Amino acid sequence: MDTLQQLFDRFVQAWQQADLVFLVGFGLLFFVVWFLPSLLALAFNRQHAAKIAVLNLPAGFSWIAWLALIVWAVTGKLSDKLAEKARLKPVA
């Protein structure tokens, strides 16, 4: 337990000594990772991008939901293509 407290104290000390450039860079990286499903939806799945963006806010608290949004964001057009291929032509 003592080593955990020491690690925590070192982390707090390092965080307090961080400069503005590091904090801004960390904040930008944090928001890019948090909103990665939304960014991917803009690139791959524009049809559902708004829904993914709205769901992205609470999904960031759950890794499972966040990963599900990433899958949804990158497979949008692919699922449309697969659904198109699966349609059978009418038999004459």
Side-chain angles (χ1 to χ4, degrees), residues 9-23:
D9 290 340
R10 276 192 241 153
F11 175 77
V12 169
Q13 183 182 13
W15 189 259
Q16 290 173 345
Q17 293 175 354
D19 60 346
L20 183 62
V21 174
F22 172 78
L23 293 175

Side-chain angles (χ1 to χ4, degrees), residues 18-73:
D19 60 346
L20 183 62
V21 174
F22 172 78
L23 293 175
V24 169
F26 179 80
L28 287 173
L29 179 67
F30 178 81
F31 281 110
V32 166
V33 170
W34 188 285
F35 291 104
L36 185 62
S38 299
L39 297 172
L40 290 172
L42 287 174
F44 294 110
N45 192 356
R46 292 186 183 268
Q47 181 180 0
H48 298 287
K51 294 174 189 174
I52 292 171
V54 169
L55 291 173
N56 196 175
L57 289 171
F61 293 108
S62 166
W63 281 99
I64 295 170
W66 187 80
L67 288 172
L69 281 180
I70 286 181
V71 170
W72 184 17

Side-chain angles (χ1 to χ4, degrees), residues 76-88:
K77 290 182 180 177
L78 178 64
S79 63
D80 291 343
K81 289 179 185 176
L82 291 175
E84 211 172 278
K85 283 184 180 180
R87 290 190 185 120
L88 297 175

